[in-house]
Amino acid sequence: MPPIEQRFPRPSVMGVVNVTPDSFSDGGVNLDPDAAAATARRMVAEGAAIVDVGGESTRPGSEGVSADEELRRVVPVLERLGGELPVSIDTAKAEVARRALALGAELVNDVTALRGDPELAGVAAGANAYVCLMHMLGEPRTMQRDPRYDDVASEVAAFLEERLAFAVAQGIPEDRICLDPGIGFGKTAEHNLELVRRLDVLLGLGRPVVIGFSRKSSLGRLLGDPAATTGPLSASIAAAVAAYERGATILRVHDVREHVQALTVAHALAGA
Ligand code: HH2
């Protein structure tokens, strides 16, 4: 397998397929495996480089689900896709990743950056999978209760630098790994903006960066609704394009067609 930057050139779109009843913006839409598989196929037809299939919501306040429940949700979807599409598995559980990789997934997207399950690093290394390491302050249940940093960009980068070293020490080659500051995971709206504004700090680690700002509540708050739980498509696209222009490689989004169109134009304007 080529290095991740060759496999997913900048910009690449990762389409989100949440096989859950309770995800913050698309809960229930893809709970039926046929619907989820159809969504994944449509996203790839619309230009997604990969689809991120997840069976557990990590929205603020969520409690998590068992490995059995996660498997019950995602395995039928992966079986329907039959290894034909580029798939990422959004999980923190080794057992779920193992099954997904056996069914053709090529990337493990772990919002705990290999802290959640001691066996996950070994599973990813053994399968030579690509890995996304994401920053989260605290855990989903409580992460949005007054998150604080002295310098959010440096602290997130220092955390990811440590997790990158851990992953490499566990046998995952560095050229398989991408990093994600975790927009909305233990961050205020201002922290999220600062992370994109100062993306150069994270890029200094030399790995491709993933940004998932799509539909997140900070966008709705920025637009004037202090109680927003989601943000609109227009704002999601603006955030994705700004992140791309600051150096992000993979944009994790729910609305693939519109983001691919916007990023195609932004890329052409960048003269790349
Ligand atoms: N955001 C969510 C889930 N997984 N993974 C990465 N790498 N980056 C992210 O920003 C990210 C992620 C949350 O969004 P979503 O999957 O739409 O919602 P939920 O967790 O409620 O299923």
Side-chain angles (χ1 to χ4, degrees), residues 16 18 22-26 56-59 90 109 111 132 134 180 183 185 210 212 216 252 254:
V16 180
N18 286 318
D22 57 348
S23 286
F24 80 96
S25 80
D26 62 348
E56 175 178 72
S57 172
T58 49
R59 73 189 185 289
D90 187 353
N109 174 26
V111 298
C132 179
M134 196 198 79
D180 184 334
I183 299 299
F185 286 83
V210 179
K216 285 190 178 159
R252 184 181 183 275
H254 302 82

Side-chain angles (χ1 to χ4, degrees), residues 2-248:
I4 192 164
E5 40 271 84
Q6 263 176 41
R7 177 70 186 85
F8 301 107
R10 177 172 167 265
S12 284
V13 164
M14 171 186 275
V16 180
V17 182
N18 286 318
V19 194
T20 61
D22 57 348
S23 286
F24 80 96
S25 80
D26 62 348
V29 174
N30 290 307
L31 195 51
D32 171 67
D34 288 323
T39 299
R41 288 203 180 87
R42 171 178 54 77
M43 286 177 167
V44 170
E46 290 174 349
I50 191 160
V51 289
D52 190 35
V53 177
E56 175 178 72
S57 172
T58 49
R59 73 189 185 289
S62 60
E63 296 277 356
V65 297
S66 67
D68 281 351
E69 177 61 18
E70 224 180 297
L71 286 166
R72 205 181 58 74
R73 292 176 183 177
V74 300
V75 166
V77 179
L78 300 173
E79 283 172 347
R80 278 165 178 74
L81 296 177
E84 288 160 17
L85 297 189
V87 167
S88 152
I89 180 73
D90 187 353
T91 191
K93 297 186 183 77
E95 183 55 29
V96 176
R98 190 178 291 118
R99 288 289 295 280
L101 292 165
L103 286 165
E106 60 183 301
L107 189 152
V108 176
N109 174 26
D110 178 11
V111 298
T112 76
L114 305 177
R115 295 174 299 160
D117 184 331
E119 290 181 23
L120 183 52
V123 168
N128 204 19
Y130 298 114
V131 173
C132 179
L133 302 174
M134 196 198 79
H135 175 271
M136 166 163 49
L137 182 68
E139 53 172 9
R141 200 167 49 80
T142 53
M143 66 189 177
Q144 289 308 96
R145 290 187 198 155
D146 194 26
R148 285 173 196 239
Y149 302 83
D150 289 326
D151 176 345
V152 68
S154 320
E155 287 171 47
V156 166
F159 169 86
L160 289 173
E161 185 173 25
E162 188 274 321
R163 297 319 295 164
L164 175 62
F166 172 83
V168 171
Q170 296 292 309
I172 302 169
E174 185 162 342
D175 72 3
R176 297 284 180 280
I177 301 174
C178 56
L179 305 175
D180 184 334
I183 299 299
F185 286 83
K187 282 116 189 161
T188 63
E190 183 48 41
H191 291 144
N192 292 328
L193 296 177
E194 176 84 358
L195 284 164
V196 174
R197 215 178 272 135
R198 295 179 59 213
L199 206 61
D200 56 309
V201 179
L202 189 49
L203 290 167
L205 298 181
R207 302 308 312 140
V209 167
V210 179
I211 293 286
F213 227 132
S214 176
R215 297 188 183 172
K216 285 190 178 159
S217 61
S218 295
L219 300 171
R221 289 181 196 174
L222 194 63
L223 296 175
D225 176 2
T229 54
T230 61
L233 171 59
S234 50
S236 303
I237 292 172
V241 169
Y244 159 69
E245 288 182 337
R246 282 164 177 73

